[in-house]
Amino acid sequence: MSQNKVDQYRRQFLAQASAVAGLSIAPGVILNTVHAKPADQAVSNKNRWGMLIDANKCASNCNKCVTACHVENGVVPAKEINHETDAKWIRKVKLTDKQTGHVQTIPMMCQHCANPPCVDVCPTNASMKREDGVVLVDKHACIGCRYCMMACPYNARSFIHEETTEKKYPRGQGTVESCTLCAHRIDDPNGPNNPACVDACNAEGHKAMWFGDLKDPQSEISKRLKQYGGEQIRSDLGLNTGVRYQNLT
Amino acid sequence: MSLKNKILALLVVLALSAVAQADSLSPEPPKAKKKYNEETLCVEPVAEMRKDHMSYIMHQRDETLRKGVRTKQHSLKECIDCHNAPAEDGKVASSKDSEHFCSTCHTYVAVQIDCFSCHSDKPENTQYRHKVSANDTFHINVATQSLSPETLEVLSNDKAESQQ
């Protein structure tokens, strides 16, 4: 056997060996990346939290996700003025196909864009995106100008008109607020836990919502998106939303 | 004693009495119910906390909101839990009361604090929020106990919007 042939043999052996090793190690390695963030650690761009909503499974007569969200975050209706101005972190939207009469409902909330217009327009940097893709309002910096509400194509943000009564959830009169993707649950050292809306949907048995890490190919949300695909609402705007929908007609 | 000296003496006496009065009026914040540890007592040495507590709280606020760091050592909630624990008769001071830990000094130095226009000035029921786990039977059961029936009524009657 010439030296060349030996080298060729070695190369093939190494290639095969590494392929086998890759198969056996990779799943374990990937599984190990899905662990809760310790409390003292900052969020990182290794994760991107997102949500997937199956419009066919969303029951038109159910709004448990809305109730659960508002209960979890203390978004209590104002006492005095009419409820037109109440904050809505999540709402049910009814879609009707005029031609066929087909009716669907979907939950609509902050879409947690990768390129959020609300962050672009904020004059005080109060509207901001965390490293892990969660779009939030820093109410300490918010001056209540409501530019972000005008910039958001999803009508996802609300202004707090009246004094808040439930002080155990810091909200703040005169600032803007929206869905936080339940960041306090994501950051839970025992988590990451599902947002309240997803838990409520599961508890109701509809199972129309999935929450997970879009950057982790092994997460259920990524697998589902890979297999069935998912739509962004107003994908023409190129915002790369973190909330995706399936089976919209 | 000349008139000048008499006036001087009177001024000294007045000044001394003013100091004595200020001493008796100086704030005495209530003692914390727990010690963070035996060495520093509070989360940082007490003298440092008296001077710089606002910087610690503000730093923690930005770390938590913007970076998702959820340590408790310098969080406002932990301040309140420890320094404004319920009294023996179960009463909890509100930030508007002069007995409230923050108010005792802040009233004295006439520095307004805005924290409590949004944040709670009382220890919260920590069972409710941050300790909810995804495996719990859904926490709406807890919520139905903590929110008034009228509130729940309005929340659940929130009609779906119509959109083409």
Side-chain angles (χ1 to χ4, degrees), chain A residues 37 39-40 42-43 63 66 68 70-73 75-77 88 91-96 98 125 128 130 136 138 140 166-167 169-170 172 183-185 187-188 193 196 199-200 203, chain B residues 61-62 64-71 116-121 124-125 128-134 138-140 143 146-147 151-152 154-164:
Chain A
K37 177 185 79 65
D40 60 348
V43 295
N63 64 356
V66 179
H70 289 170
V71 167
E72 172 81 9
N73 295 294
V75 185
V76 184
K88 284 193 178 114
R91 61 193 201 278
K92 285 289 290 284
V93 173
K94 191 165 144 196
L95 307 166
T96 313
K98 273 188 180 160
N125 200 18
M128 52 110 193
R130 288 203 323 188
L136 295 174
D138 182 348
H140 307 102
E166 302 258 334
K167 288 273 164 34
Y169 322 89
H184 60 283
R185 284 169 158 241
D187 294 342
D188 189 332
N193 295 329
D199 271 357
Chain B
R61 165 195 110 178
D62 290 341
T64 303
L65 203 151
R66 293 183 178 257
K67 294 184 186 167
V69 175
R70 301 266 172 183
T71 51
F116 303 121
S117 55
C118 309
H119 289 274
S120 179
D121 52 359
E124 75 165 305
N125 176 11
Y128 178 57
R129 207 172 141 154
H130 294 274
K131 289 179 182 166
V132 175
S133 121
F138 181 54
H139 61 277
I140 200 125
S146 70
L147 291 180
T151 300
L152 281 167
V154 177
L155 279 174
S156 43
N157 282 345
D158 205 1
K159 280 185 188 143
E161 285 176 36
S162 202
Q163 194 165 321
Q164 171 53 42

Side-chain angles (χ1 to χ4, degrees), chain B residues 30-96:
Chain B
K31 291 260 183 275
K33 297 287 184 292
K34 293 174 273 183
K35 287 175 189 166
Y36 187 75
N37 65 37
E38 286 301 323
E39 197 185 325
T40 57
L41 304 178
C42 198
V43 292
E44 297 295 333
V46 173
E48 199 171 327
M49 286 311 287
R50 282 193 184 139
K51 191 165 153 249
D52 284 334
H53 58 278
M54 62 300 251
S55 313
Y56 282 113
I57 295 171
M58 195 179 276
H59 182 71
Q60 178 73 22
R61 165 195 110 178
D62 290 341
E63 290 283 305
T64 303
L65 203 151
R66 293 183 178 257
K67 294 184 186 167
V69 175
R70 301 266 172 183
T71 51
K72 292 182 170 175
Q73 188 174 348
H74 298 136
S75 85
L76 177 67
K77 201 161 71 176
E78 295 294 305
C79 298
I80 294 297
D81 280 359
C82 196
H83 283 286
N84 196 30
E88 274 170 21
D89 57 354
K91 270 191 179 171
V92 189
S94 143
S95 57
K96 285 167 191 153

Side-chain angles (χ1 to χ4, degrees), chain A residues 77-90:
Chain A
K79 279 187 184 145
E80 288 163 21
I81 308 181
N82 63 28
H83 295 297
E84 290 287 302
T85 52
D86 281 347
K88 284 193 178 114
W89 288 27
I90 178 172

